[in-house]
Amino acid sequence: GSGGFRKRKHDNFPHGQRREEKENVNPSSPLMTSFKSFQLELDTRHDKYERLVKLSRDITIESKRTIFLLHRFTSAPNGEEILSESEVKLDAVRRKIKQAAQELIGEDMYQFHRAISPGLQEYIEAVSFQYFIKTRSLISMEEINKQLVFTADDREETTATASSPQEKQPHTWSLKVTPVDYLLGVADLTGELMRLCISSVGNGDIDTPFELSQFLRQIYDGFTFIGNTGPYEVSKKLYTLKQSLAKVENACYTLKVRGSEIPKHMLADVFSTKTELIEQEEGL
């Protein structure tokens, strides 16, 4: 009748008949066997993805701790001890990356890239920060990838994290950093260099800020060439990179113009005050 609900198509079949059809399904039929194999494959892939996410978090945490340690380099009485301790921490990070590389043996890395990418970016930031402190230059992507080539150790049970217990692992394997990961890691490095500039000014070091200004200008010019033609994540980092460069150049201006007037122990306070004013004007 008018105003009544329209019957759905499957309501024409009695509920008892549908229940009988479910009970009559043969679990050993080729169709059910195929779906069970698909279920096993998807569960295995999801479990591996979650393991990689956890490894990425561990890599991120350890890399951040390494960066915090390296920031003590300018104020530590013996900088070589800081660098040695940071190398030990980075070796521990690389062992975590080795576990991730073992998980990806025989797999398409790009299917699991989003799981491991945040950790790799943080590692690139840490290792490039250490490299800059040592050499005052930027580490290349090829050099980073050379450090991520691993060999099987007889003392380690490398088959424990293989994708299948029967799969025999190769003698060497690697986890290569993608160009996008490298660019994002270098973009994050600029923020750490800006903080290094602040701490250097506070310690009375008036040479490091000018070195950092020149170095950051070169990185900014390189990112400007990429512009909006690259991946969205890279172009999004360009604004933050520009702000870090502006803060370092402001520190150099303060040192050049008023450095002889202000005592060294007060330079950091003057620079911090100017930085806060710039951020307030730009609405940061």
Side-chain angles (χ1 to χ4, degrees):
S2 60
F5 291 100
R6 186 177 179 181
K7 265 194 170 184
R8 287 178 292 184
K9 200 170 184 180
H10 64 268
D11 285 342
N12 295 326
F13 299 95
H15 293 283
Q17 182 178 348
R18 292 205 302 271
R19 191 179 299 110
E20 290 177 2
E21 289 176 356
K22 291 181 181 179
E23 294 175 354
N24 293 332
V25 173
N26 185 8
S28 60
S29 65
L31 182 63
M32 294 299 295
T33 304
S34 299
F35 272 99
K36 286 180 180 178
S37 64
F38 297 153
Q39 179 187 6
L40 180 61
E41 181 180 351
L42 287 174
D43 288 344
T44 303
R45 188 171 297 275
H46 291 159
D47 291 342
K48 178 171 292 191
Y49 192 93
E50 289 301 321
R51 289 196 298 270
L52 289 172
V53 168
K54 292 177 181 178
L55 284 172
S56 179
R57 290 172 183 167
D58 294 340
I59 294 169
T60 300
I61 292 171
E62 293 301 324
S63 298
K64 283 184 181 294
R65 289 174 178 170
T66 305
I67 293 171
F68 296 153
L69 173 67
L70 289 170
H71 275 296
R72 293 165 45 197
F73 178 80
T74 55
S75 58
N78 190 355
E80 293 299 325
E81 293 182 2
I82 298 294
L83 292 176
S84 299
E85 189 176 349
S86 68
E87 190 61 39
V88 173
K89 286 183 175 294
L90 287 177
D91 286 338
V93 176
R94 281 189 278 268
R95 285 195 293 271
K96 292 288 185 180
I97 298 177
K98 180 179 180 180
Q99 296 180 25
Q102 290 172 354
E103 292 280 359
L104 293 173
I105 291 177
E107 299 283 357
D108 183 3
M109 190 264 186
Y110 290 95
Q111 291 185 356
F112 301 92
H113 180 251
R114 292 187 64 182
I116 197 67
S117 178
L120 291 178
Q121 293 175 30
E122 200 69 34
Y123 168 74
I124 293 168
E125 182 181 354
V127 75
S128 58
F129 190 35
Q130 184 204 52
Y131 191 85
F132 176 82
I133 291 175
K134 286 182 177 180
T135 65
R136 288 298 194 255
S137 60
L138 181 64
I139 190 171
S140 64
M141 187 176 70
E142 291 75 16
E143 185 66 28
I144 293 176
N145 284 329
K146 284 180 183 178
Q147 298 175 2
L148 300 182
V149 177
F150 309 104
T151 57
D153 190 349
D154 295 335
R155 293 173 298 177
E156 296 182 1
E157 297 180 359
T158 55
T159 55
T161 56
S163 56
S164 62
Q166 292 80 17
E167 183 179 354
K168 188 176 181 180
Q169 291 193 348
H171 295 291
T172 61
W173 65 94
S174 63
L175 180 60
K176 290 187 177 181
V177 170
T178 64
V180 175
D181 289 336
Y182 175 74
L183 289 174
L184 293 175
V186 171
D188 292 335
L189 167 68
T190 58
E192 304 305 330
L193 295 180
M194 183 268 294
R195 295 179 184 91
L196 179 65
C197 174
I198 296 175
S199 59
S200 299
V201 172
N203 293 324
D205 183 2
I206 61 175
D207 295 326
T208 298
F210 292 95
E211 294 180 5
L212 290 172
S213 176
Q214 192 69 21
F215 183 72
L216 288 176
R217 170 59 64 180
Q218 294 175 358
I219 293 180
Y220 177 74
D221 291 343
F223 272 81
T224 305
F225 286 128
I226 299 174
N228 295 327
T229 61
Y232 171 72
E233 296 87 352
V234 176
S235 59
K236 192 171 63 173
K237 295 277 187 179
L238 189 60
Y239 179 77
T240 306
L241 197 161
K242 185 178 180 180
Q243 297 305 310
S244 299
L245 175 61
K247 292 174 184 178
V248 173
E249 288 180 340
N250 178 66
C252 294
Y253 172 81
T254 303
L255 291 172
K256 196 72 175 177
V257 176
R258 303 188 59 191
S260 58
E261 303 174 1
I262 305 173
K264 289 185 177 181
H265 67 278
M266 295 179 61
L267 283 173
D269 296 334
V270 174
F271 171 60
S272 300
T273 304
K274 286 194 173 185
T275 301
E276 292 175 0
L277 291 174
I278 291 175
E279 290 180 350
Q280 290 176 2
E281 291 176 358
E282 296 178 350
L284 295 178

